[in-house]
Amino acid sequence: MSLLVHLLACAFGTGSWVAINGLWVELPLIVNELPEGWYLPSYLTVIIQLANLGPLLVTLMYKFCPGRLKAVVVIYMILSIGTVSCFLLAFFWKETTVVAGELHSTAFLIITFFLSLLDCTSSVTFLPFMMQFPAQYLTTYFIGEGLSGFIPGLVALGQGVGMIKCVNVTQGWDNMTETNTTSSQTGHYSTESQYQPANFSTEIFFFFLAGMMGLSLVAFVFLTRIPRNFERSCENLVADQVVFTASSGLDNSGKDPAGETESNELTISVNLQKQEASTLPSKAKYSGKQFAFMYFLVAWVNSLTNGVLPSVQTYSCMPYGNTVYHLSAALGSMANPVACIIAMFFPNRSLLLLGGLSLAGTGFGAYNMAMAAMSPCPLLQNSLGGGVLIVLSWIFFVGTVSYVKVMVGLILRDKSHSALVWCGVAVQMGSMVGALAMFPLINVYYLFKSGDSCNTNCSV
């Protein structure tokens, strides 16, 4: 019975952020198909921030109407609607309509908003339900949350991306276009990019996400039917969980019933009870300036991971090719849970170290931003080294700042409840400022330029 509950708790946890994490790792294939193109990630960062309306409403219900909101009913709705939404996404993600005179992928964006709303709300409903179980099952649940980012990244690696093929297109006088490399028809030649199919289609990937959501729903159904012949988990485990936003991550954030901010991307299984077991030193005393420094770190790294850098990932990676973008998105998504595991086994609360890691992460982010600003002709574009550098830069960027988020969250958790509340405020403010600041720069002022690997000439 114990093993079965562990498996159910893990499967239940994977449903928390799997939909949004899956969308982010699938972007290398999606951006070539939808009319938003390279602008699409900047739309997603804003949509995810707007989706925080869900956890806000749930938190207000917990605060002002205690006992009126049934967590079990909300979870059933989240997992059921999430499964159906992923299923519908497989059929309608390419559907477009004209909005304000421009073609937009309205179906994809609307469904993405609801998936974001559901995933954000899961942060404030799944954990209270799991509090009915003993502490060891919470650990398994957190592992499942981490797998919600790791598994889609792993599947995306297996999916791969199709190679780009440059073909000559002859435009004749009769305005009929045909693909031909040796045509003698009167007209002129132009070169077009044709994207070869991946190992399996985007539709199959969305069906896979629907399957994972369905598996989480089935696990939840069985969890609700397990006899409650054990003691509830310790109350302080709510404060022990420090989960932050990223997307991914893209990170998405909400607040739990106690007010702590939680997120999508990370679902940090680091705060687990294992760290209570003497792996960390006794509580240290921090001055007001040190706390201000920690809040600044939280706001800064979340602005980078939840708004600024995800918005320009296409511009920093696509000039090197679809494969480079694909690896950056998939491996970057997998770097987050890996960093959380490292933080669990090798915790370090030194503010000097955390500041140094934040500086290093900012350096990697600055390199990513610089390559995006130079798009469509970044450094070392036509060399293997350039692609390797940008992939490694994204992996180390996500990894270093994820470690910082975990450790700062643990420090503030041990301080007080109000310290975690202000930590949540810092996460939200940083994420919102980052996302809202980048959207007009990309979509209004067009400071970042897209390119076409078959037609862009970057020769000096």
Side-chain angles (χ1 to χ4, degrees):
M1 180 58 125
S2 176
L3 177 60
L4 175 62
V5 177
H6 278 295
L7 292 176
L8 292 175
C10 184
F12 176 53
T14 58
S16 57
W17 288 102
V18 67
I20 295 303
N21 287 331
L23 287 180
W24 276 102
V25 299
E26 192 68 5
L27 278 182
L29 293 176
I30 295 175
V31 294
N32 296 319
E33 301 287 343
L34 298 185
E36 289 81 7
W38 292 22
Y39 301 131
L40 188 60
S42 63
Y43 280 85
L44 294 189
T45 57
V46 174
I47 286 174
I48 291 170
Q49 292 303 312
L50 294 176
N52 283 308
L53 175 65
L56 175 61
L57 293 177
V58 171
T59 301
L60 293 176
M61 286 290 292
Y62 278 127
K63 182 71 174 178
F64 298 106
C65 303
R68 301 282 291 276
L69 187 66
K70 303 299 182 183
V72 172
V73 175
V74 176
I75 294 173
Y76 269 123
M77 293 178 60
I78 289 174
L79 294 176
S80 300
I81 297 175
T83 302
V84 173
S85 297
C86 289
F87 190 79
L88 292 176
L89 202 57
F91 292 100
F92 300 108
W93 71 278
K94 285 186 178 181
E95 297 299 318
T96 59
T97 57
V98 177
V99 179
E102 294 184 358
L103 200 62
H104 286 285
S105 50
T106 47
F108 177 82
L109 295 176
I110 290 173
I111 295 176
T112 297
F113 172 76
F114 281 102
L115 287 175
S116 302
L117 191 68
L118 296 171
D119 283 5
C120 288
T121 307
S122 73
S123 294
V124 299
T125 53
F126 283 23
L127 183 62
F129 171 77
M130 287 303 300
M131 293 298 293
Q132 303 176 66
F133 295 85
Q136 64 266 28
Y137 298 118
L138 280 175
T139 301
T140 309
Y141 166 79
F142 289 134
I143 292 174
E145 281 191 323
L147 290 176
S148 71
F150 189 87
I151 293 177
L154 201 60
V155 173
L157 287 178
Q159 181 185 24
V161 286
M163 302 300 293
I164 299 177
K165 181 180 179 181
C166 299
V167 297
N168 288 331
V169 176
T170 303
Q171 183 70 45
W173 292 109
D174 57 355
N175 290 326
M176 297 297 291
T177 301
E178 65 177 13
T179 300
N180 194 340
T181 56
T182 59
S183 174
S184 59
Q185 177 185 2
T186 303
H188 66 276
Y189 289 102
S190 63
T191 304
E192 285 187 357
S193 300
Q194 290 186 355
Y195 296 93
Q196 305 303 307
N199 295 329
F200 55 87
S201 68
T202 299
E203 288 80 4
I204 292 178
F205 186 85
F206 288 148
F207 284 132
F208 163 75
L209 295 182
M212 286 197 66
M213 291 291 292
L215 178 63
S216 181
L217 174 60
V218 171
F220 176 68
V221 171
F222 281 103
L223 284 173
T224 59
R225 285 159 173 74
I226 291 177
R228 302 298 194 272
N229 56 352
F230 40 67
E231 294 183 2
R232 293 171 59 88
S233 298
C234 301
E235 291 184 3
N236 69 335
L237 286 177
V238 175
D240 288 347
Q241 186 202 18
V242 182
V243 210
F244 295 96
T245 342
S247 109
S248 91
L250 84 158
D251 306 333
N252 308 305
S253 56
K255 292 184 178 179
D256 68 11
E260 292 92 320
T261 296
E262 301 185 318
S263 96
N264 111 55
E265 107 186 320
L266 314 174
T267 326
I268 303 173
S269 52
V270 162
N271 29 319
L272 313 182
Q273 308 80 298
K274 290 185 177 180
Q275 286 189 309
E276 298 293 337
S278 74
T279 58
L280 293 176
S282 58
K283 296 181 183 179
K285 299 294 184 180
Y286 296 98
S287 66
K289 291 182 179 180
Q290 288 174 318
F291 277 109
F293 174 68
M294 284 186 278
Y295 288 129
F296 169 77
L297 286 185
V298 169
W300 175 250
V301 298
N302 279 279
S303 70
L304 295 180
T305 58
N306 302 341
V308 176
L309 271 304
S311 299
V312 298
Q313 188 171 18
T314 45
Y315 298 94
S316 69
C317 298
M318 278 292 280
Y320 295 100
N322 265 19
T323 301
V324 169
Y325 183 21
H326 172 69
L327 291 175
S328 297
L331 295 179
S333 175
M334 298 167 69
N336 190 313
V338 171
C340 294
I341 293 174
I342 293 174
M344 182 168 62
F345 290 103
F346 302 99
N348 192 315
R349 299 190 178 199
S350 168
L351 294 186
L352 183 62
L353 174 65
L354 297 180
L357 288 176
S358 299
L359 188 61
T362 301
F364 291 121
Y367 179 79
N368 299 338
M369 178 62 74
M371 296 305 101
M374 297 174 67
S375 176
C377 300
L379 296 176
L380 305 174
Q381 180 188 20
N382 297 316
S383 70
L384 176 62
V388 171
L389 279 177
I390 196 66
V391 171
L392 291 177
S393 181
W394 273 99
I395 293 174
F396 286 121
F397 164 70
V398 174
T400 52
V401 297
S402 295
Y403 185 93
V404 172
K405 289 179 182 182
V406 174
M407 296 314 304
V408 172
L410 291 173
I411 293 172
L412 295 176
R413 174 205 66 185
D414 288 344
K415 168 62 178 175
S416 66
H417 176 272
S418 62
L420 269 183
V421 172
W422 284 107
C423 178
V425 173
V427 170
Q428 290 294 85
M429 291 300 297
S431 303
M432 182 180 65
V433 170
L436 296 181
M438 292 305 298
F439 188 83
L441 297 180
I442 296 171
N443 298 281
V444 178
Y445 298 106
Y446 305 107
L447 296 185
F448 298 88
K449 307 298 181 182
S450 59
D452 185 332
S453 58
C454 293
N455 293 300
T456 301
N457 185 5
C458 294
S459 61
V460 179

